[in-house]
Amino acid sequence: MRPFALIRPESLTQARDLVVAKPEGRSFRAGGIDLMDRMKEGLDDPELLVELRGVGELAGVTESAGFSPATADGSVPENLPSGALWRVGAATTLAEIAANEALLDGAAALVEAASQAATPGIRNTATVGGNLLQRPRCWYYRNRELVCLKKGGDMCLAIAGDNRYHAILGGGPSFIVHPSSLATALVALGATVGTFRGASAEDAITPGRVLPIEELFAGPKTDPTREHVLEDGEVLEAVLVPKAGAEMRSAYGAVREKQSHDWPLVEAAVRMRVDAGVMKDVRVALGHVAPVPWLSPEAAEVLEGQAPDAELFARAAEAAVAKARPLDGNGYKVPMSKGLLREVLHRASGLALPE
Amino acid sequence: MAESLLSLRINGEAVSTAAPSHWTLLEVLRYRLDLIGSKQGCDKGDCGACTVQINGEPVLACLTLAATAQRGEVRTVEGLSWAPEASQGCHPLQDAFDRWDAAQCGFCTPGILMAAEALLRKRAAVVTRDEVREALAGNLCRCTGYTKIIDAVVDASEVVFGQRGDESTDDSAQQTGS
């Protein structure tokens, strides 16, 4: 690992300015789990780490009637969600989320995802922002000796290589799977994210943004070298989860080769409201199947307005993977995704699993 | 290489040392402060051998920058101690690991002790095997197969939190000198 300096800015504005001044050599840092890993592997060698913990309002989970990201001119950003929200600061640790029982009201899938990720020691350090913005875990990307598409090479090495952990949906030209488990849950929960791009009229370049969380992520067709749309110096400030009330249910599940400290093979998360016997406001997401957290409107459409039913869940699961195009080594993810999604739908809706 | 002055609190004492500004807490513990109980295994967060506690929570010293640890209270395996007059300074966990043969090569043991101590302190009750498995999910052991480690942690919790304190005293006496 190359030597670097660490600086603790006093404000988000200062943090932003430090990175904007030299984005190629400076990096934001919070928990540092993925960043340290990449630096030790030699994939990244920033000269200056800009510590985000301790500045702004990045830490902790709060209940909010609404959210006002800092804007230069006081204008209200687009996409501002209405109604009561959970505001999860980007520097909140996974352990804090896993231990937050209040979040079970409206964000149960997020609590489940956070409590299963990585290991207890990592969850005590890793943050929400870092989890969402971590780089892919593809073994070709993570190997410093290999120049893959993600690192400016000509092609994705998974195509002709060992692609057992790669994408079955939305792949090409890169076939990574997005590594964030929290993202899978948050996409199902209909979360939005608030970003910081300047605090006051004098030093703001542009106001912050509020994005539906699926718009935070960008697939490889946009730019295969990155997975999100944040600009240099733009700080992911908070995740906003609708506090939908007791009738809204959600669930998350993952299949792993090992029970702990392993990346999921596939994940599924769903959100729904069961109203007068039928499912409403259904959202379905799959994880570790595509280069982005995969929202499945096709599955949601099968379920919306219908009564929970095992056969219906099986049809929704078929719809979720209807467009799957497996590579040589990852065809198992198709039936695995279907089985897991059915299980999660049973759990979320309260319908007992068939024997 | 530019060194900077670090002011840490480790095992209840204030410690100052100069170290390269990009060093991890694990590097500073081992190569500046001679606290070599915390082990450098994978050095990338996979094995848990470097587990220490910061403000009572188990974290991985290999992924923690020493500079950022200055704000917290660091506790390493060297800081584990317990009513010295009764047990030669051994923590009940260490005593239980001894009685259960829960360490073979011992490389993973310091990290496991720090993760297990946090579990016992936070639960403050006799723990279940599943709770131990969950708390130690980030600690790899390539020798023991984990069974005796789990036995030892459950046993230690029983010693500390009641159910069979008398019995375990007998156990200790019987095994003295073995």
Side-chain angles (χ1 to χ4, degrees):
Chain A
M1 190 163 63
R2 290 219 326 214
F4 57 84
L6 176 81
I7 189 166
R8 288 198 193 83
E10 288 173 1
S11 65
L12 276 179
T13 301
Q14 195 189 356
R16 178 192 173 284
D17 291 347
L18 281 162
V19 168
V20 167
K22 194 176 180 188
E24 70 281 6
R26 299 179 179 181
S27 183
F28 290 130
R29 174 188 187 279
I33 297 287
D34 180 36
L35 182 63
M36 291 293 285
D37 202 358
R38 280 185 281 121
M39 289 166 67
K40 288 185 179 191
E41 181 61 29
L43 300 176
D44 282 278
D45 56 354
E47 63 189 27
L48 182 69
L49 301 188
V50 180
E51 174 68 72
L52 286 176
R53 293 179 299 185
V55 298
E57 309 213 346
L58 299 184
V61 178
T62 49
E63 249 179 288
S64 171
F67 177 64
S68 332
T71 58
D73 54 4
S75 64
V76 178
E78 290 178 40
N79 304 315
L80 194 68
S82 60
L85 298 165
W86 289 114
R87 181 191 187 279
V88 182
T92 309
T93 66
L94 303 195
E96 289 174 288
I97 291 175
N100 190 325
E101 291 182 7
L103 276 177
L104 292 173
D105 176 11
L110 177 64
V111 176
E112 292 178 58
S115 62
Q116 292 179 28
T119 64
I122 289 175
R123 293 198 290 270
N124 280 332
T125 306
T127 64
V128 171
N131 183 276
L132 293 174
L133 301 176
Q134 65 184 307
R135 300 304 311 275
R137 300 289 159 172
C138 169
W139 45 30
Y140 298 111
Y141 167 73
R142 290 277 162 174
N143 187 322
R144 84 177 90 184
E145 307 295 333
L146 301 175
V147 183
C148 71
L149 191 62
K150 285 249 156 244
K151 293 182 280 191
D154 293 333
M155 68 176 296
C156 173
L157 300 175
I159 296 171
D162 187 335
N163 46 41
R164 72 183 82 172
Y165 300 130
H166 291 79
I168 56 170
L169 284 160
S174 160
F175 286 84
I176 63 137
V177 292
H178 199 277
S180 171
S181 289
L182 299 196
T184 308
L186 289 167
V187 165
L189 290 167
T192 51
V193 296
T195 75
F196 176 90
R197 293 195 288 187
S200 66
E202 302 88 72
D203 54 24
I205 309 301
T206 50
R209 295 192 276 179
V210 178
L211 300 168
I213 190 162
E214 53 270 30
E215 292 179 22
L216 173 66
F217 303 105
K221 290 173 182 67
T222 310
D223 177 355
T225 65
R226 58 206 308 262
E227 295 84 39
H228 63 77
V229 301
L230 299 185
E231 298 160 2
D232 291 336
E234 185 173 8
V235 180
L236 178 61
E237 192 175 350
V239 176
L240 314 168
V241 184
K243 195 169 179 299
E247 74 278 12
M248 192 68 91
R249 308 166 181 185
S250 65
Y252 162 92
V255 181
R256 295 177 170 83
E257 288 174 319
K258 296 187 294 175
Q259 282 182 306
S260 82
H261 204 179
D262 199 8
W263 298 98
L265 300 170
V266 301
E267 299 170 292
V270 301
R271 177 200 83 170
M272 65 174 66
R273 188 159 58 82
V274 180
D275 183 5
V278 301
M279 296 176 284
K280 299 276 186 64
D281 299 328
V282 182
R283 284 174 69 93
V284 175
L286 298 176
H288 284 80
V289 295
V292 294
W294 191 257
L295 181 66
S296 179
E298 297 88 352
E301 194 184 334
V302 171
L303 301 163
E304 186 73 31
Q306 305 293 316
D309 172 76
E311 192 275 334
L312 180 77
F313 291 166
R315 275 199 286 131
E318 289 290 344
V321 293
K323 292 178 184 163
R325 296 286 177 272
L327 301 164
D328 291 344
N330 64 2
Y332 72 91
K333 285 194 178 190
V334 176
M336 188 179 277
S337 300
K338 289 194 284 190
L340 178 66
L341 177 54
R342 290 171 62 189
E343 182 197 317
V344 172
L345 282 167
H346 276 275
R347 196 144 46 82
S349 66
L351 185 66
L353 277 166
E355 291 299 318
Chain B
M1 196 180 302
E3 300 220 343
S4 51
L5 189 67
L6 291 165
S7 299
L8 297 156
R9 281 196 61 82
I10 298 176
N11 298 328
E13 290 180 20
V15 178
S16 291
T17 186
S21 57
H22 66 285
W23 272 22
T24 62
L25 175 61
L26 181 62
E27 289 168 317
V28 170
L29 289 172
R30 291 184 59 86
Y31 308 124
R32 282 292 184 272
L33 301 175
D34 207 26
L35 292 168
I36 58 173
S38 307
K39 296 295 185 270
Q40 194 162 17
C42 68
D43 210 31
K44 55 191 291 190
D46 289 337
C47 74
C50 66
T51 303
V52 300
Q53 294 172 2
I54 297 182
N55 297 332
E57 299 288 346
V59 298
L60 300 171
C62 76
L63 294 180
T64 303
L65 289 175
T68 65
Q70 293 181 110
R71 295 179 165 190
E73 188 76 35
V74 179
R75 194 176 180 207
T76 69
V77 72
E78 288 89 349
L80 274 193
S81 62
W82 184 269
E85 67 282 2
S87 59
Q88 295 89 46
C90 272
H91 188 279
L93 275 165
Q94 293 168 316
D95 186 45
F97 270 59
D98 180 23
R99 284 185 287 108
W100 283 91
D101 286 331
Q104 288 183 29
C105 86
F107 197 81
C108 68
T109 310
I112 288 180
L113 288 170
M114 299 315 287
E117 196 279 337
L119 170 71
L120 262 51
R121 181 163 32 78
K122 283 193 274 187
R123 285 283 291 113
V126 174
V127 296
T128 67
R129 300 181 72 82
D130 279 347
E131 286 172 330
V132 178
R133 285 195 190 92
E134 175 60 25
L136 301 184
N139 296 82
L140 295 183
C141 171
R142 299 289 75 162
C143 304
T144 63
Y146 303 101
T147 303
K148 291 183 174 185
I149 292 172
I150 297 167
D151 289 338
V153 177
V154 172
D155 184 296
S157 78
E158 289 170 350
V159 170
V160 176
F161 298 109
Q163 287 187 2
R164 25 156 303 200
D166 296 342
E167 193 186 326
S168 94
T169 307
D170 294 344
D171 283 354
S172 305
Q174 282 164 12
Q175 295 196 6
T176 301
S178 66

Short mmCIF file of all heavy atoms in Angstrom, two decimals, chain B residues 28-67:
data_model
loop_
_atom_site.label_atom_id
_atom_site.label_comp_id
_atom_site.label_asym_id
_atom_site.label_seq_id
_atom_site.Cartn_x
_atom_site.Cartn_y
_atom_site.Cartn_z
N VAL B 28 0.58 -0.40 13.96
CA VAL B 28 1.10 0.40 15.08
C VAL B 28 1.18 -0.45 16.35
O VAL B 28 2.17 -0.40 17.10
CB VAL B 28 0.23 1.66 15.30
CG1 VAL B 28 0.61 2.37 16.59
CG2 VAL B 28 0.39 2.60 14.10
N LEU B 29 0.15 -1.26 16.59
CA LEU B 29 0.18 -2.12 17.78
C LEU B 29 1.39 -3.05 17.74
O LEU B 29 2.13 -3.17 18.73
CB LEU B 29 -1.10 -2.97 17.85
CG LEU B 29 -2.41 -2.26 18.18
CD1 LEU B 29 -3.58 -3.23 18.01
CD2 LEU B 29 -2.39 -1.69 19.60
N ARG B 30 1.59 -3.68 16.61
CA ARG B 30 2.62 -4.72 16.53
C ARG B 30 4.02 -4.17 16.33
O ARG B 30 4.98 -4.68 16.94
CB ARG B 30 2.29 -5.69 15.38
CG ARG B 30 1.05 -6.54 15.62
CD ARG B 30 0.83 -7.55 14.49
NE ARG B 30 1.96 -8.44 14.32
CZ ARG B 30 2.14 -9.57 15.00
NH1 ARG B 30 1.25 -9.95 15.88
NH2 ARG B 30 3.20 -10.31 14.79
N TYR B 31 4.16 -3.15 15.49
CA TYR B 31 5.51 -2.74 15.07
C TYR B 31 5.99 -1.44 15.72
O TYR B 31 7.11 -1.02 15.51
CB TYR B 31 5.56 -2.65 13.54
CG TYR B 31 5.04 -3.92 12.89
CD1 TYR B 31 4.01 -3.90 11.96
CD2 TYR B 31 5.57 -5.17 13.24
CE1 TYR B 31 3.52 -5.07 11.39
CE2 TYR B 31 5.08 -6.34 12.68
CZ TYR B 31 4.06 -6.28 11.76
OH TYR B 31 3.58 -7.45 11.22
N ARG B 32 5.14 -0.80 16.51
CA ARG B 32 5.58 0.37 17.26
C ARG B 32 5.43 0.15 18.76
O ARG B 32 6.25 0.62 19.54
CB ARG B 32 4.79 1.62 16.85
CG ARG B 32 5.25 2.22 15.53
CD ARG B 32 6.66 2.83 15.66
NE ARG B 32 7.06 3.50 14.43
CZ ARG B 32 7.68 2.91 13.40
NH1 ARG B 32 7.95 1.61 13.47
NH2 ARG B 32 8.01 3.59 12.33
N LEU B 33 4.37 -0.55 19.13
CA LEU B 33 4.06 -0.65 20.56
C LEU B 33 4.37 -2.04 21.13
O LEU B 33 4.20 -2.27 22.32
CB LEU B 33 2.58 -0.31 20.80
CG LEU B 33 2.17 1.09 20.32
CD1 LEU B 33 0.67 1.30 20.48
CD2 LEU B 33 2.95 2.17 21.08
N ASP B 34 4.83 -2.94 20.27
CA ASP B 34 5.21 -4.28 20.71
C ASP B 34 4.05 -5.03 21.36
O ASP B 34 4.25 -5.90 22.20
CB ASP B 34 6.41 -4.22 21.66
CG ASP B 34 7.23 -5.51 21.61
OD1 ASP B 34 7.19 -6.18 20.56
OD2 ASP B 34 7.88 -5.85 22.61
N LEU B 35 2.83 -4.68 20.99
CA LEU B 35 1.65 -5.43 21.45
C LEU B 35 1.33 -6.45 20.35
O LEU B 35 0.55 -6.19 19.44
CB LEU B 35 0.48 -4.49 21.70
CG LEU B 35 0.66 -3.53 22.87
CD1 LEU B 35 -0.41 -2.45 22.87
CD2 LEU B 35 0.65 -4.29 24.19
N ILE B 36 2.00 -7.60 20.43
CA ILE B 36 1.94 -8.54 19.32
C ILE B 36 0.89 -9.64 19.53
O ILE B 36 0.86 -10.62 18.81
CB ILE B 36 3.32 -9.18 19.06
CG1 ILE B 36 3.83 -9.87 20.32
CG2 ILE B 36 4.30 -8.12 18.57
CD1 ILE B 36 5.11 -10.66 20.09
N GLY B 37 0.02 -9.44 20.54
CA GLY B 37 -1.08 -10.38 20.72
C GLY B 37 -2.03 -10.38 19.53
O GLY B 37 -2.45 -11.43 19.05
N SER B 38 -2.35 -9.19 19.03
CA SER B 38 -3.23 -9.08 17.86
C SER B 38 -2.46 -9.55 16.65
O SER B 38 -1.37 -9.05 16.37
CB SER B 38 -3.68 -7.63 17.68
OG SER B 38 -4.24 -7.14 18.88
N LYS B 39 -3.01 -10.51 15.92
CA LYS B 39 -2.26 -11.17 14.87
C LYS B 39 -2.55 -10.60 13.49
O LYS B 39 -3.66 -10.18 13.20
CB LYS B 39 -2.57 -12.68 14.88
CG LYS B 39 -2.13 -13.38 16.15
CD LYS B 39 -0.61 -13.36 16.31
CE LYS B 39 -0.13 -14.15 17.50
NZ LYS B 39 -0.05 -13.32 18.72
N GLN B 40 -1.52 -10.61 12.65
CA GLN B 40 -1.65 -10.19 11.27
C GLN B 40 -1.83 -11.45 10.41
O GLN B 40 -0.87 -12.15 10.12
CB GLN B 40 -0.40 -9.42 10.83
CG GLN B 40 -0.58 -8.65 9.55
CD GLN B 40 0.49 -7.58 9.38
OE1 GLN B 40 1.53 -7.60 10.04
NE2 GLN B 40 0.25 -6.63 8.49
N GLY B 41 -3.07 -11.74 10.07
CA GLY B 41 -3.34 -12.94 9.29
C GLY B 41 -3.47 -12.59 7.82
O GLY B 41 -2.49 -12.45 7.11
N CYS B 42 -4.70 -12.42 7.37
CA CYS B 42 -4.92 -12.11 5.95
C CYS B 42 -4.61 -10.66 5.65
O CYS B 42 -4.32 -10.29 4.53
CB CYS B 42 -6.37 -12.40 5.58
SG CYS B 42 -7.56 -11.29 6.35
N ASP B 43 -4.71 -9.79 6.66
CA ASP B 43 -4.49 -8.35 6.52
C ASP B 43 -5.50 -7.69 5.59
O ASP B 43 -5.23 -6.63 5.05
CB ASP B 43 -3.06 -8.06 6.04
CG ASP B 43 -2.56 -6.70 6.58
OD1 ASP B 43 -2.97 -6.32 7.69
OD2 ASP B 43 -1.77 -6.04 5.88
N LYS B 44 -6.64 -8.32 5.37
CA LYS B 44 -7.66 -7.68 4.54
C LYS B 44 -9.07 -7.97 5.02
O LYS B 44 -10.01 -7.95 4.23
CB LYS B 44 -7.47 -8.07 3.07
CG LYS B 44 -7.45 -9.56 2.83
CD LYS B 44 -6.99 -9.88 1.41
CE LYS B 44 -8.06 -9.45 0.40
NZ LYS B 44 -7.77 -9.95 -0.95
N GLY B 45 -9.21 -8.23 6.30
CA GLY B 45 -10.56 -8.30 6.83
C GLY B 45 -11.27 -9.62 6.66
O GLY B 45 -12.46 -9.72 6.89
N ASP B 46 -10.54 -10.66 6.24
CA ASP B 46 -11.20 -11.94 6.03
C ASP B 46 -11.12 -12.89 7.22
O ASP B 46 -11.97 -13.76 7.37
CB ASP B 46 -10.57 -12.67 4.83
CG ASP B 46 -10.93 -12.00 3.51
OD1 ASP B 46 -11.95 -11.30 3.47
OD2 ASP B 46 -10.19 -12.18 2.54
N CYS B 47 -10.07 -12.77 8.06
CA CYS B 47 -9.81 -13.86 9.00
C CYS B 47 -10.15 -13.53 10.46
O CYS B 47 -10.35 -14.44 11.26
CB CYS B 47 -8.35 -14.30 8.91
SG CYS B 47 -7.18 -13.14 9.65
N GLY B 48 -10.17 -12.27 10.84
CA GLY B 48 -10.53 -11.90 12.21
C GLY B 48 -9.43 -12.05 13.23
O GLY B 48 -9.65 -11.77 14.42
N ALA B 49 -8.22 -12.47 12.82
CA ALA B 49 -7.15 -12.68 13.80
C ALA B 49 -6.68 -11.38 14.44
O ALA B 49 -6.08 -11.39 15.51
CB ALA B 49 -5.97 -13.40 13.13
N CYS B 50 -6.98 -10.25 13.80
CA CYS B 50 -6.54 -8.95 14.31
C CYS B 50 -7.63 -8.27 15.12
O CYS B 50 -7.49 -7.10 15.46
CB CYS B 50 -6.15 -8.05 13.15
SG CYS B 50 -7.56 -7.63 12.10
N THR B 51 -8.71 -8.97 15.43
CA THR B 51 -9.85 -8.33 16.10
C THR B 51 -9.43 -7.70 17.43
O THR B 51 -8.86 -8.36 18.29
CB THR B 51 -10.98 -9.35 16.35
OG1 THR B 51 -11.36 -9.93 15.11
CG2 THR B 51 -12.19 -8.69 17.00
N VAL B 52 -9.70 -6.41 17.56
CA VAL B 52 -9.53 -5.70 18.83
C VAL B 52 -10.87 -5.03 19.13
O VAL B 52 -11.81 -5.15 18.35
CB VAL B 52 -8.40 -4.64 18.74
CG1 VAL B 52 -7.07 -5.30 18.40
CG2 VAL B 52 -8.75 -3.56 17.73
N GLN B 53 -10.94 -4.34 20.25
CA GLN B 53 -12.16 -3.60 20.54
C GLN B 53 -11.87 -2.11 20.52
O GLN B 53 -10.83 -1.67 21.02
CB GLN B 53 -12.72 -3.99 21.91
CG GLN B 53 -13.21 -5.43 21.97
CD GLN B 53 -13.59 -5.85 23.38
OE1 GLN B 53 -13.53 -5.05 24.32
NE2 GLN B 53 -13.95 -7.11 23.55
N ILE B 54 -12.76 -1.37 19.90
CA ILE B 54 -12.71 0.09 20.02
C ILE B 54 -14.04 0.51 20.63
O ILE B 54 -15.10 0.18 20.12
CB ILE B 54 -12.49 0.76 18.65
CG1 ILE B 54 -11.13 0.35 18.09
CG2 ILE B 54 -12.58 2.29 18.79
CD1 ILE B 54 -10.77 1.00 16.76
N ASN B 55 -13.94 1.22 21.76
CA ASN B 55 -15.12 1.60 22.53
C ASN B 55 -16.01 0.38 22.80
O ASN B 55 -17.24 0.46 22.74
CB ASN B 55 -15.91 2.70 21.82
CG ASN B 55 -15.09 3.97 21.69
OD1 ASN B 55 -14.21 4.23 22.51
ND2 ASN B 55 -15.34 4.73 20.66
N GLY B 56 -15.37 -0.75 23.05
CA GLY B 56 -16.11 -1.94 23.46
C GLY B 56 -16.65 -2.78 22.33
O GLY B 56 -17.17 -3.87 22.57
N GLU B 57 -16.53 -2.32 21.08
CA GLU B 57 -17.06 -3.07 19.95
C GLU B 57 -15.92 -3.77 19.21
O GLU B 57 -14.91 -3.13 18.91
CB GLU B 57 -17.78 -2.14 18.97
CG GLU B 57 -18.97 -1.40 19.56
CD GLU B 57 -20.16 -2.31 19.78
OE1 GLU B 57 -20.17 -3.44 19.26
OE2 GLU B 57 -21.08 -1.89 20.49
N PRO B 58 -16.07 -5.04 18.87
CA PRO B 58 -15.02 -5.70 18.10
C PRO B 58 -14.90 -5.12 16.70
O PRO B 58 -15.91 -4.98 16.00
CB PRO B 58 -15.48 -7.17 18.06
CG PRO B 58 -16.93 -7.15 18.38
CD PRO B 58 -17.19 -5.93 19.20
N VAL B 59 -13.69 -4.79 16.32
CA VAL B 59 -13.42 -4.28 14.97
C VAL B 59 -12.12 -4.91 14.48
O VAL B 59 -11.36 -5.50 15.25
CB VAL B 59 -13.29 -2.74 14.92
CG1 VAL B 59 -14.58 -2.07 15.33
CG2 VAL B 59 -12.14 -2.27 15.78
N LEU B 60 -11.87 -4.78 13.19
CA LEU B 60 -10.68 -5.37 12.59
C LEU B 60 -9.56 -4.34 12.55
O LEU B 60 -9.65 -3.33 11.85
CB LEU B 60 -11.01 -5.87 11.19
CG LEU B 60 -12.12 -6.92 11.18
CD1 LEU B 60 -12.57 -7.24 9.78
CD2 LEU B 60 -11.67 -8.18 11.91
N ALA B 61 -8.49 -4.59 13.30
CA ALA B 61 -7.40 -3.62 13.39
C ALA B 61 -6.67 -3.48 12.06
O ALA B 61 -6.05 -2.46 11.80
CB ALA B 61 -6.42 -4.03 14.50
N CYS B 62 -6.74 -4.51 11.20
CA CYS B 62 -6.03 -4.44 9.92
C CYS B 62 -6.70 -3.50 8.95
O CYS B 62 -6.10 -3.10 7.96
CB CYS B 62 -5.89 -5.82 9.30
SG CYS B 62 -7.41 -6.44 8.53
N LEU B 63 -7.97 -3.18 9.17
CA LEU B 63 -8.68 -2.27 8.27
C LEU B 63 -8.95 -0.93 8.94
O LEU B 63 -9.61 -0.06 8.37
CB LEU B 63 -10.01 -2.88 7.81
CG LEU B 63 -9.92 -4.12 6.91
CD1 LEU B 63 -11.31 -4.62 6.54
CD2 LEU B 63 -9.11 -3.83 5.66
N THR B 64 -8.45 -0.76 10.16
CA THR B 64 -8.67 0.49 10.90
C THR B 64 -7.40 1.32 10.82
O THR B 64 -6.33 0.85 11.22
CB THR B 64 -8.99 0.18 12.37
OG1 THR B 64 -10.13 -0.67 12.44
CG2 THR B 64 -9.26 1.46 13.15
N LEU B 65 -7.49 2.51 10.31
CA LEU B 65 -6.32 3.37 10.29
C LEU B 65 -6.00 3.81 11.71
O LEU B 65 -6.89 4.21 12.46
CB LEU B 65 -6.56 4.60 9.41
CG LEU B 65 -6.62 4.32 7.91
CD1 LEU B 65 -6.98 5.59 7.15
CD2 LEU B 65 -5.27 3.79 7.43
N ALA B 66 -4.71 3.75 12.07
CA ALA B 66 -4.33 4.14 13.42
C ALA B 66 -4.78 5.56 13.72
O ALA B 66 -5.23 5.88 14.82
CB ALA B 66 -2.82 4.01 13.58
N ALA B 67 -4.68 6.43 12.71
CA ALA B 67 -5.05 7.83 12.93
C ALA B 67 -6.50 7.96 13.35
O ALA B 67 -6.84 8.80 14.18
CB ALA B 67 -4.81 8.63 11.65
#
